[in-house]
Amino acid sequence: MHANEENRSDTPSACERDLALLQGTWIQVGIEENGIVNPPDTYSGPDVTTLIDGHRFEVRTADGSLLLHGRFTLDATTTPKSITWVDAIGEEAGQPILASYRLDDDRFVFIAADPGMARPTQFRTTQGLTMRSFVRRA
């Protein structure tokens, strides 16, 4: 037995469970930004999908054009649960975007702060906050 095996549990941690649940393709069904519901948005629209694969994400149009991609880390042990996005392209490329999230089977909601702001603790937007709601693509 290796030293690591004696401390290993067969029960996945909250972080592992949430990461596994996030895997797959998601469709954005709502956005709220700076207190405005459904503002014009570069990263959403008809048939835009978000694919989560491991700790990577990509946002694509229906024709497959890449709108955004990057990596994320999550921590399901915080209240609220926290996720940090790092875009690989675009205006905020390389900057950690602090966010909080809720995840229930086929629904995923996150609220993100503009770079340099504190991680949001409530699921409502004010200046500098963006909340996106997704459902799993069937």
Side-chain angles (χ1 to χ4, degrees):
M1 180 185 304
H2 295 288
N4 291 357
E5 289 178 340
E6 62 189 52
N7 294 327
R8 195 178 79 200
S9 169
D10 290 336
T11 305
S13 72
C15 296
E16 291 168 331
R17 279 192 311 271
D18 279 6
L19 181 61
L21 193 55
L22 270 175
Q23 303 304 297
T25 304
W26 298 86
I27 298 170
Q28 184 172 294
V29 294
I31 179 172
E32 183 178 317
E33 185 173 39
N34 302 320
I36 299 168
V37 175
N38 294 322
D41 180 48
T42 305
Y43 304 113
S44 61
D47 300 319
V48 171
T49 59
T50 299
L51 173 67
I52 297 184
D53 182 10
H55 286 275
R56 293 187 168 99
F57 69 91
E58 56 184 47
V59 179
R60 292 189 178 271
T61 62
D63 69 5
S65 299
L66 183 66
L67 296 174
L68 187 65
H69 71 98
R71 296 183 61 78
F72 68 92
T73 56
L74 61 81
D75 186 347
T77 66
T78 61
T79 304
K81 296 176 179 183
S82 57
I83 191 166
T84 302
W85 305 99
V86 180
D87 297 346
I89 59 175
E91 293 177 17
E92 298 168 347
Q95 299 178 59
I97 300 168
L98 304 180
S100 296
Y101 75 96
R102 293 189 301 228
L103 180 61
D104 300 305
D105 295 323
D106 294 334
R107 293 196 58 82
F108 172 49
V109 177
F110 74 82
I111 183 164
D114 285 351
M117 292 179 62
R119 188 179 309 277
T121 58
Q122 297 180 350
F123 287 84
R124 60 183 165 85
T125 67
T126 57
Q127 191 63 39
L129 299 178
T130 302
M131 184 166 55
R132 296 180 185 274
S133 301
F134 299 84
V135 294
R136 186 177 306 280
R137 187 172 80 182

